[in-house]
């Protein structure tokens, strides 16, 4: 696991502080009318991102940007304070002690397995939520997190929270917009970084900005044109925060696949993030 600072491994406060609004916000943005036939035809060409093989690719792509590694399963045990004002960042999707999603995760784990090694930290996690404080967590929380990460129940809790909060909503919205696997992934990666909610750089606002410039396939638009508009809006959102200002996860990864016309996100895949090269056969 590589060590990161706030510029080499972008975090996202907004994506986590908006968790409480996520479910409502995705449905609050009006979905395009189901009367448009291109939605079904575009989404039906090839497996969606929720196909197991495509989902594995999605996990590797995100891990290349979040963890500088394709081995996303090695990140269950990852935990450190990267100095971005969000407290501890940990796990397969960057759950943070200061922004709510780590608390949700440990609560889920404790519901499923009372008395686990992290359960005693729940009062402290509630107190530090919204801050970068380690009060009540140090000095043993990182070691206890790594201990918990060996537990299959904790690994499954991480998987389930990732899917509930980020993956499933992104794929659902992508399919509703008539996007194939690449577009669904673009939505997922944006949701991981920016979260839902109604602030200017949230996923919902990024999508609204794209919709003002182009129609998605569900509304009869061209898929490539729409995805370029979405990625342009995503880059704008990233540039609004210093920690996100390196846009290579878009420009030398997703945009590469789009230029190649690889809407199905079919391997082999070659891309770069933060100057590092990656390949999936």
């Amino acid at each position: 696991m590589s060590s990161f600072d706030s510029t080499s491994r972008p975090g996202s406060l907004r994506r986590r502080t908006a968790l409480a609004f996520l479910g409502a916000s995705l449905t609050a943005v009006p979905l395009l009318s189901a009367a448009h036939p291109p939605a079904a035809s575009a989404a039906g060409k090839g497996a969606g991102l929720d196909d197991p093989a495509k989902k594995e690719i999605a996990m590797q792509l995100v891990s290349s940007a979040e963890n500088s590694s394709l081995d996303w399963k090695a990140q269950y045990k990852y935990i450190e304070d990267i100095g971005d004002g969000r407290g501890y960042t940990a796990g397969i999707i960057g759950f943070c002690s200061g922004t709510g999603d780590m608390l949700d995760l440990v609560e889920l784990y404790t519901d499923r397995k009372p008395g686990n090694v992290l359960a005693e930290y729940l009062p402290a996690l509630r107190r530090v939520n919204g801050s970068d404080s380690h009060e009540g967590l140090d000095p043993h929380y990182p070691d206890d997190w790594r201990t918990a990460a060996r537990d299959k129940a904790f690994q499954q809790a991480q998987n389930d929270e990732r899917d509930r909060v980020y993956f499933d909503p992104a794929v659902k919205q992508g399919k509703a917009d008539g996007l194939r696997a690449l577009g669904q992934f673009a939505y997922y990666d944006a949701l991981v970084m920016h979260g839902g909610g109604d602030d200017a750089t949230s996923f919902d606002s990024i999508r609204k900005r794209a919709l003002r410039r182009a129609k998605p396939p569900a509304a009869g638009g061209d898929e490539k044109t729409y995805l370029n508009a979405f990625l342009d809006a995503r880059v704008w959102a990233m540039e609004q925060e210093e920690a996100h200002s390196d846009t290579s996860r878009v420009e030398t990864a997703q945009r590469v696949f789009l230029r190649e016309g690889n809407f199905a996100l079919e391997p082999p895949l070659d891309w770069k993030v933060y100057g590092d090269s990656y390949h999936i056969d």
Side-chain angles (χ1 to χ4, degrees):
M1 179 65 204
S2 300
S3 176
F4 300 90
D5 59 25
S6 60
T7 58
S8 65
R9 190 269 188 204
S12 175
L13 181 60
R14 291 185 181 88
R15 78 177 176 89
R16 300 181 176 97
T17 53
L19 292 184
F21 306 103
L22 183 58
S25 64
L26 285 180
T27 55
V29 178
L31 294 179
L32 294 149
S33 171
H36 295 287
S41 59
K45 294 178 182 177
L49 201 67
D50 50 356
D51 172 81
K54 294 296 172 65
K55 186 173 183 179
E56 177 66 21
I57 289 172
M59 298 305 109
Q60 292 181 46
L61 287 170
V62 169
S63 187
S64 72
E66 295 282 315
N67 304 106
S68 295
S69 169
L70 297 185
D71 187 3
W72 66 270
K73 293 181 180 178
Q75 314 311 322
Y76 289 117
K77 65 180 182 298
Y78 164 65
I79 181 168
E80 67 176 318
D81 188 327
I82 62 175
D84 63 353
R86 298 165 176 87
Y88 281 117
T89 296
I92 58 172
I93 209 68
F95 304 100
C96 285
S97 62
T99 54
D101 54 355
M102 182 181 286
L103 171 60
D104 290 344
L105 169 63
V106 177
E107 286 179 336
L108 175 64
Y109 180 37
T110 302
D111 286 344
R112 293 178 176 180
K113 190 169 184 178
N116 69 75
V117 69
L118 298 181
E120 67 181 277
Y121 295 101
L122 281 171
L125 286 170
R126 295 185 182 108
R127 287 195 301 271
V128 303
N129 191 20
S131 77
D132 62 357
S133 174
H134 294 185
E135 184 179 358
L137 300 177
D138 287 344
H140 300 300
Y141 185 68
D143 286 340
D144 286 339
W145 178 281
R146 286 185 281 267
T147 296
R150 296 196 293 268
D151 183 357
K152 295 294 185 182
F154 187 48
Q155 295 176 14
Q156 189 59 50
Q158 290 195 40
N159 293 343
D160 291 344
E161 279 297 281
R162 173 202 63 206
D163 289 353
R164 179 185 71 84
V165 178
Y166 305 114
F167 187 80
D168 292 347
V171 171
K172 181 179 179 181
Q173 185 68 74
K175 288 183 175 182
D177 286 347
L179 302 175
R180 287 173 278 180
L182 175 58
Q184 293 166 32
F185 175 75
Y187 277 15
Y188 172 55
D189 191 63
L191 197 48
V192 165
M193 177 174 281
H194 302 281
D198 57 4
D199 62 275
T201 60
S202 69
F203 166 78
D204 304 296
S205 295
I206 293 169
R207 178 173 171 269
K208 286 179 180 178
R209 182 179 286 263
L211 289 170
R212 289 196 292 267
R213 289 187 49 200
K215 293 180 180 180
D222 176 73
E223 190 170 11
K224 185 173 184 179
T225 299
Y226 173 73
L227 284 178
N228 268 315
F230 181 83
L231 294 180
D232 288 345
R234 169 81 190 282
V235 167
W236 177 87
M238 292 174 72
E239 290 174 342
Q240 304 313 300
E241 185 176 352
E242 178 60 30
H244 294 163
S245 59
D246 186 320
T247 61
S248 59
R249 67 196 288 161
V250 172
E251 301 293 12
T252 56
Q254 295 170 50
R255 194 91 72 175
V256 171
F257 307 146
L258 183 57
R259 284 198 298 267
E260 294 170 347
N262 192 354
F263 296 101
L265 208 58
E266 287 288 344
L269 298 170
D270 291 281
W271 73 100
K272 292 183 179 181
V273 183
Y274 311 135
D276 296 329
S277 297
Y278 298 93
H279 175 82
I280 294 177
D281 289 316

